[in-house]
Amino acid sequence: MTVSYDKSKAVYEGIRSAGVRSISALPETWLGLLLQRAEDDPEMTLIQVAKEEEAIGIAAGAWFAGEPHVLLMQNHGFLAAINGIVSLAQLYHIPLCMLIALRGHWGEPYPWHTRGGNVTEGVLRALQIPFEYAREPDRVAQQIREGHTLSRSSLWPTALLLTRDLMEEVD
Amino acid sequence: MERRQCIELMYPELEDKVVVTIMGASAQELYDLGHRDNFFYLQHAMGLASSVGMGLALHRPDEKVVVLDGDGSVLMNLGTFATMARYAPKNLVQVIFDNGSLLSTGGFASHTTSGDTDLAGIARAAGIRRVADTDQLMPFGEAILEAFEEDGPHVVVARVKAVGPDNYGMDLHLPENAFRFARYLSGRRGDS
């Protein structure tokens, strides 16, 4: 499997088109080209964390600072960040715009990702976090803008699930 | 040395700084001295006060950001030291009250109780250059003044007794605290 250069570009341009110039992230394969773009972009502040829950705190700090921000993480990182999401973002009504690489789902060849892939949607529902699946590069920019807008109007987390169709090259 | 004394000593200097505290005694002792809208009390999500401080410091380099942290909280997010060292915001001061106790959740021993685990040493080894460590009030005051005046990031470990306030409570709803804190910051930038 190969991560798509063009589709990663579409996601990155989507983040920029939302007016966002600040990203927190924990690197993973599907996010690699995106993070490379962020690193090479002099207008973008990229903060890589040691564990995803840290990024919830950083995103809250960015919100207090008045800086539009998105979080990039894998779904297993989302699972690792839940108490921060619940007991910081939701408790204090702080928006989070999360872009989550949905590993372990349709077409996943790696066994180790499959448990997380199966439960991600159910956990998002349990946390009452509005989410959408992003599958098409032509639509992803709008989906990012809308997720970002909703998080800030609702003062609540939103999640856009970045799927295999969106992130990988089609053979 | 007690945490309350340390916070009292710092309090006049906090008027023009952006302050994030952890839950429990640290939050209460600061609140009891007089709440200000530039104080944010993170009453849950243990470990993330320093991350909130990082997010603030990196996006508002014009402000001095002070985090009042604790040993129990820091032990839940040791990675924060490495992230802080990597991005090294000059305007961030992390004060860690190490009382060797999970005081606010029942007074259980923490990993620092024995004295074997050295939070200042962990911070230094993570790459933070400005680290102070003391159990005396005068050196604490000197370390704080230095941290407030000079570029950081700074970590100040204050080894304090495991005692806290007799009564807990704030006339402040949690989202209200967050909203007023955000307004303070937008007002400081002139975009409120």
Side-chain angles (χ1 to χ4, degrees):
Chain A
M1 64 124 215
T2 317
V3 181
S4 166
Y5 181 87
D6 289 338
K7 294 178 191 175
S8 293
K9 184 180 174 189
V11 177
Y12 189 70
E13 290 307 319
I15 292 170
R16 283 189 59 97
S17 79
V20 171
R21 297 292 181 272
S22 173
I23 295 173
S24 55
L26 200 133
E28 75 112 29
T29 316
W30 282 8
L31 304 175
L33 294 176
L34 272 172
L35 296 181
Q36 190 73 56
R37 284 188 172 275
E39 262 180 359
D40 294 345
D41 182 347
E43 289 184 4
M44 190 63 77
T45 298
L46 172 65
I47 305 155
Q48 295 190 20
V49 293
K51 192 168 182 178
E52 289 84 352
E53 195 181 10
E54 271 182 74
I56 309 302
I58 288 169
W63 163 252
F64 288 137
E67 182 69 38
H69 182 86
V70 302
L71 303 92
L72 285 173
M73 64 184 84
Q74 195 194 88
N75 50 341
H76 297 85
F78 160 70
L79 295 175
I82 286 174
N83 188 50
I85 294 169
V86 172
S87 299
L88 170 52
Q90 295 187 334
L91 188 62
Y92 285 92
H93 294 272
I94 293 166
L96 301 174
C97 178
M98 298 183 287
L99 307 187
I100 299 173
L102 182 61
R103 307 303 297 268
H105 209 253
W106 237 230
E108 177 63 63
Y110 301 125
W112 46 88
H113 282 319
T114 56
R115 293 298 94 201
N118 281 355
V119 303
T120 299
E121 182 180 317
V123 172
L124 283 165
R125 287 190 190 282
L127 297 175
Q128 301 176 345
I129 296 175
F131 63 92
E132 276 202 31
Y133 288 87
R135 306 181 196 279
E136 299 162 29
D138 293 347
R139 286 226 333 117
V140 70
Q142 186 182 347
Q143 287 180 300
I144 292 169
R145 289 194 296 272
E146 290 177 349
H148 185 243
T149 298
L150 178 61
S151 70
R152 291 165 71 88
S153 60
S154 59
L155 302 177
W156 198 252
T158 60
L160 187 63
L161 298 169
L162 311 178
T163 62
R164 182 173 308 277
D165 285 349
L166 180 75
M167 300 310 294
E168 290 191 350
E169 291 287 9
V170 179
D171 293 328
Chain B
M1 175 167 74
E2 294 183 13
R3 180 188 42 243
R4 181 183 52 78
Q5 296 174 297
C6 298
I7 297 177
E8 273 176 11
L9 193 71
M10 278 190 287
Y11 186 78
E13 297 294 324
L14 298 178
E15 185 172 354
D16 62 348
K17 295 180 180 61
V18 178
V19 183
V20 179
T21 80
I22 58 165
M23 56 172 285
S26 300
Q28 190 66 45
E29 287 175 351
L30 180 63
Y31 176 88
D32 287 345
L33 289 169
H35 176 67
R36 296 179 186 279
D37 283 347
N38 51 315
F39 300 165
F40 177 66
Y41 314 104
L42 179 52
Q43 294 284 15
H44 212 305
M46 280 180 72
L48 294 190
S50 57
S51 303
V52 175
M54 277 276 295
L56 279 161
L58 288 168
H59 293 100
R60 293 294 288 269
D62 50 323
E63 303 284 354
K64 196 82 172 181
V65 178
V66 181
V67 176
L68 303 187
D69 221 323
D71 52 312
S73 286
V74 166
L75 286 164
M76 289 197 194
N77 185 13
L78 286 175
T80 197
F81 286 137
T83 307
M84 203 188 300
R86 181 170 178 179
Y87 295 100
K90 291 178 180 173
N91 53 332
L92 182 61
V93 180
Q94 182 187 19
V95 182
I96 303 171
F97 294 113
D98 181 0
N99 60 7
S101 171
L102 298 168
L103 183 74
S104 297
T105 55
F108 306 100
S110 93
H111 290 3
T112 65
T113 309
S114 66
D116 291 335
T117 298
D118 169 11
L119 292 175
I122 294 172
R124 281 190 202 99
I128 297 168
R129 295 202 182 93
R130 306 296 301 267
V131 181
D133 182 10
T134 181
D135 60 0
Q136 298 294 318
L137 196 57
M138 194 68 87
F140 173 79
E142 288 167 3
I144 286 295
L145 276 181
E146 195 175 302
F148 285 177
E149 282 169 12
E150 296 176 16
D151 282 351
H154 294 267
V155 168
V156 179
V157 178
R159 280 175 281 121
V160 294
K161 291 179 191 162
V163 291
D166 294 331
N167 296 299
Y168 287 85
M170 294 186 185
D171 183 16
L172 186 68
H173 300 297
L174 302 183
E176 180 187 8
N177 182 203
F179 296 162
R180 285 165 60 175
F181 185 64
R183 289 236 181 266
Y184 168 85
L185 277 149
S186 62
R188 292 273 284 191
R189 202 164 63 173
D191 59 4
S192 61

